[in-house]
Amino acid sequence: MPSTFDSALELGGDIRAVDFISDIHLSETMPATADAWEAYMARTRADAVFLLGDIFEVWVGDDARTRPFEARCTAALAAAAARVPVWLQHGNRDFLIGPEFAAATGIRLLADPASVTAFGKTVLLTHGDELCVDDVPYQVFRQQVRNPAYQQQLLSQPLEARLALAAKMRAASMARHDEPVTYADVDETMAKAWLARLGTDTMIHGHTHRPGTQVRDGWTRHVLTDWDLDRPQPEARRAQVLRWTAAGFERIAPDQA
Ligand SMILES: [Mn+2]
């Protein structure tokens, strides 16, 4: 269903501010993070909001939106999308978000990679996981779970079975200690090829949990931070919005957005 996804957006001349966030990893086990995200979605002054993947810690199918925590997040997205256009790109944890969820919330699904043009400039948007080619076991897993036949088979199982499977995979992952402490980074050659194909020199991505802006030989990337406001140590808490205006890019606190 490629037509379900937007891939080359051009925002109108009345746009003043565009927000980018990713890797919120929404989960009922992180209530302060969920509260901050919900408040941000309700209040941001941006004229367009881009959610670049892993907004949810796990998404086992659009029918999961009726569960209490997911229903609350779904309502927050629907309220935001009624006020401001919201685009959502898949991450490696919430790639099962589908057209049913988009229709229920009014958000638009975004291809990966995609491009958006505003303020006379085009930028490439990606979650970033596909570019981390050095993470070989993950890329094998990715090929499997992004296969439409695999997804159809998975989604045909009852919701409770899918929730149990997700919990089992999570437990196995933690037992193997492969919850990455340091994530693989994006492959430079592939990143440059994507930029050339989409006709830009600037990309925005998440996934690596290594926020920062890097200007390299001929290309620039803005890496989004993950959000975690549930750490006991205040200095370990983090949450940030990348805001794009005619003046350029800036990083702001969610409650200042
Ligand atoms: Mn990710």
Side-chain angles (χ1 to χ4, degrees):
M1 298 167 284
S3 60
T4 307
F5 295 87
D6 291 335
S7 60
L9 294 164
E10 287 197 35
L11 302 181
D14 52 339
I15 291 278
R16 291 156 302 140
V18 184
D19 282 359
F20 304 90
I21 61 174
S22 72
D23 303 279
I24 318 300
H25 295 273
L26 286 170
S27 153
E28 49 203 330
T29 65
M30 293 170 66
T33 306
D35 287 350
W37 174 80
E38 190 175 41
Y40 160 76
M41 292 304 295
R43 282 196 225 125
T44 178
R45 286 173 282 117
D47 305 299
V49 176
F50 287 86
L51 310 174
L52 300 187
D54 285 355
I55 302 309
F56 293 95
E57 172 69 2
V58 65
W59 192 259
V60 298
D62 289 351
D63 51 347
R65 72 179 187 277
T66 56
R67 303 179 77 231
F69 178 77
E70 285 80 356
R72 175 189 159 197
C73 299
T74 300
L77 278 173
R83 198 170 64 74
V84 57
V86 176
W87 280 274
L88 182 143
Q89 198 168 45
H90 285 155
N92 49 298
R93 295 176 169 278
D94 54 11
F95 58 86
L96 283 177
I97 291 175
E100 191 183 313
F101 184 74
T105 54
I107 62 162
R108 296 282 309 167
L109 296 176
L110 189 64
D112 187 354
S115 68
V116 57
T117 303
F119 316 114
K121 183 172 173 63
T122 299
V123 297
L124 184 154
L125 308 178
T126 178
H127 179 60
D129 58 314
E130 196 177 353
L131 290 172
C132 294
V133 294
D134 287 345
D135 190 346
V136 176
Y138 170 69
Q139 295 302 337
V140 171
F141 171 79
R142 188 180 196 279
Q143 264 199 325
Q144 184 196 352
V145 299
R146 299 298 180 102
N147 181 313
Y150 173 89
Q151 292 189 1
Q152 203 172 23
Q153 193 277 333
L154 186 64
L155 290 170
S156 71
Q157 297 181 37
L159 176 59
E160 291 308 319
R162 280 174 274 136
L163 288 166
L165 177 66
K168 200 172 124 189
M169 287 173 73
R170 179 91 182 123
S173 163
M174 286 173 83
R176 283 197 310 269
H177 299 288
D178 62 5
E179 200 52 36
V181 176
T182 47
Y183 288 71
D185 206 350
V186 306
D187 180 80
E188 184 158 346
T189 305
M190 191 166 166
K192 282 168 137 174
W194 279 19
L195 287 167
R197 177 152 61 86
L198 272 66
T200 175
D201 62 1
T202 303
M203 70 164 59
I204 300 172
H205 73 79
H207 183 63
T208 60
H209 298 198
R210 281 201 288 263
T213 292
Q214 283 142 20
V215 182
R216 305 200 165 177
D217 55 324
W219 64 292
T220 298
R221 65 169 176 166
H222 302 281
V223 185
L224 304 174
T225 187
D226 60 314
W227 288 28
D228 186 349
L229 297 169
D230 288 272
R231 296 294 188 100
Q233 320 88 324
E235 65 278 10
R237 294 175 198 156
R238 56 196 179 273
Q240 210 174 45
V241 175
L242 182 70
R243 174 160 289 172
W244 189 21
T245 66
F249 292 93
E250 61 174 338
R251 292 170 192 269
I252 56 178
D255 60 0
Q256 300 299 307

